[in-house]
């Protein structure tokens, strides 16, 4: 008899994670039975907890704040996009080895496509140069972006990120700029700063023109999205990206892919 597959998300805090609900919704839609738990880990216990989970027959694990960089460091095998992100949100075990991937960027690409926005030949501006940005640059480039500009409050972080990733983005042009020098015309602006999470205002100058706005955060008031609304352009918060990254993890583990648009109503 087949045993029910065991999955989990690990983090600290973990109480508010939507991952179990999303994975159970995918499983139900595709007629699969699975267990998906939330695992709280104290910071020093992360590695031991992961190893114990796989030793006890766990099939796959999602990793959330603050452990994505620790997860990256413990993997035996990494995908190219996990290497570029230097962070891992999806783990699985095969033949005694731990594999790691980062599905955040592809989740964002899939969420943008589900909105009916095209990335092919797009000029994209990403606000912020932290871990959230690092995780999405490669998938956006592979989705056909013509140009990606990374704008950050601290210019040196943006310049460093561009230097790190420049050789991996194929024919996409990758540039850095200071948040204070924002200008020009873009098809899409993505807010990957933590400003909305901390409740800070992010004020964009009138010299910056753009036609679509995507906020990676969700469930928080966003001055970025308020400005998009004022400009009368299409905009979205990050719930689709959350669903998208979960779907890519689900596909890695279960070999079948739920349709993102079917789950946006869970918001
Ligand atoms: P994450 O892993 O979520 O990206 P992070 O590595 O701490 O988190 O990065 C947060 C990003 O949000 C950084 O780019 C940060 O800018 P700095 O590098 O200058 O610190 C940006 N950020 C945070 N608060 C901001 C604010 N109020 N205005 C503009 N940028 C902000």
């Amino acid at each position: 008899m087949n045993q029910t597959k065991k999955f989990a998300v690990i983090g600290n805090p973990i109480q508010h994670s939507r991952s179990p609900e999303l994975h159970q919704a995918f499983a139900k839609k595709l007629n699969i039975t699975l267990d998906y738990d939330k695992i709280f880990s104290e910071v020093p216990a992360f590695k031991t907890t992961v190893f114990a989970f796989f030793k006890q027959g766990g099939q796959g694990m999602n990793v959330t704040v603050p452990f994505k960089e620790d997860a990256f460091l413990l993997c035996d095998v990494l995908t190219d996009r996990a290497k570029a992100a230097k962070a891992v949100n999806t783990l699985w075990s095969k033949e005694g080895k731990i594999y790691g991937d980062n599905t955040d960027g592809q989740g964002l690409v899939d969420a943008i496509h589900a909105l009916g926005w095209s990335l092919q030949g797009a000029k994209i501006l990403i606000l912020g140069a932290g871990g959230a940005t690092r995780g999405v640059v490669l998938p956006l480039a592979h989705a056909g972006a013509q140009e990606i500009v990374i704008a950050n409050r601290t210019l040196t972080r943006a310049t460093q990120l561009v230097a790190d990733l420049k050789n991996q983005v194929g024919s996409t042009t990758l540039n850095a700029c200071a948040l204070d020098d924002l200008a020009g015309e873009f098809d899409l602006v993505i807010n990957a700063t933590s400003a909305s999470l901390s409740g800070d205002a992010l004020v964009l100058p009138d010299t910056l023109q753009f036609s679509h706005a995507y906020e990676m955060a969700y469930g928080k008031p966003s001055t970025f999205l308020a400005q998009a609304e004022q400009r009368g352009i299409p905009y979205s918060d990050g719930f689709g990206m959350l669903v998208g990254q979960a779907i890519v993890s689900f596909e890695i583990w279960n070999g079948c892919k739920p349709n993102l648009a079917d789950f946006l109503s869970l918001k």
Side-chain angles (χ1 to χ4, degrees):
M1 205 176 77
N2 280 341
Q3 285 225 311
T4 305
K5 287 183 175 179
K6 269 164 53 89
F7 302 97
V9 57
I10 185 167
N12 180 346
I14 199 62
Q15 203 59 27
H16 299 291
S17 171
R18 302 274 315 260
S19 293
E21 177 198 345
L22 290 173
H23 280 265
Q24 290 298 358
F26 306 155
K28 191 171 171 205
K29 188 90 179 173
L30 298 174
N31 276 318
I32 293 171
T33 306
L34 52 81
D35 286 336
Y36 192 113
D37 294 329
K38 288 178 193 175
I39 299 179
F40 173 87
S41 173
E42 296 293 355
V43 172
F46 172 72
K47 204 169 166 175
T48 336
T49 312
V50 171
F51 286 148
F53 174 80
F54 286 113
K55 207 165 174 205
Q56 288 157 20
Q59 308 267 322
M61 198 179 226
N62 282 130
V63 181
T64 188
V65 179
F67 296 126
K68 290 185 188 182
E69 286 80 14
D70 300 287
F72 169 79
L73 293 174
L74 70 67
C75 289
D76 301 302
V77 186
L78 291 160
T79 61
D80 286 345
R81 60 193 182 195
K83 284 181 197 160
K86 291 190 175 159
V88 156
N89 74 337
T90 306
L91 295 168
W92 65 100
S93 159
K94 207 166 78 184
E95 289 154 7
K97 288 188 169 149
I98 295 196
Y99 286 68
D101 196 357
N102 188 312
T103 66
D104 287 329
Q106 191 56 45
L108 172 66
V109 166
D110 292 346
I112 289 170
H113 284 153
L115 289 162
W117 305 354
S118 173
L119 292 167
Q120 194 59 49
K123 291 183 72 180
I124 301 175
L125 172 67
I126 308 180
L127 308 175
T133 298
R134 183 180 275 282
V136 301
V137 170
L138 226 59
L140 287 169
H142 291 163
Q146 182 195 105
E147 182 185 359
I148 299 175
V149 175
I150 299 174
N152 201 43
R153 185 172 60 181
T154 315
L155 175 61
T156 47
R157 277 188 95 187
T159 327
Q160 185 59 53
L161 198 49
V162 167
D164 281 1
L165 298 176
K166 199 140 198 153
N167 292 332
Q168 299 175 58
V169 292
S171 59
T172 306
T173 310
L174 190 59
N175 285 311
C177 98
L179 209 54
D180 285 341
D181 296 337
L182 279 181
E185 234 177 279
F186 293 89
D187 299 301
L188 170 64
V189 179
I190 298 169
N191 184 16
T193 71
S194 51
S196 339
L197 298 175
S198 51
D200 295 345
L202 196 62
V203 180
L204 303 173
D206 292 336
T207 46
L208 178 69
Q209 300 289 312
F210 54 105
S211 51
H212 298 81
Y214 198 95
E215 164 74 79
M216 279 199 196
Y218 84 99
K220 298 264 182 191
S222 159
T223 52
F224 169 69
L225 290 187
Q227 289 163 81
E229 187 169 28
Q230 253 173 15
R231 291 174 181 228
I233 60 166
Y235 64 88
S236 172
D237 70 13
F239 185 72
M241 179 179 173
L242 180 79
V243 175
Q245 60 78 31
I247 284 178
V248 181
S249 298
F250 187 95
E251 187 187 15
I252 290 168
W253 297 331
N254 297 296
C256 45
K257 190 170 190 178
N259 177 28
L260 196 150
D262 291 344
F263 302 94
L264 293 177
S265 60
L266 291 173
K267 194 163 118 188

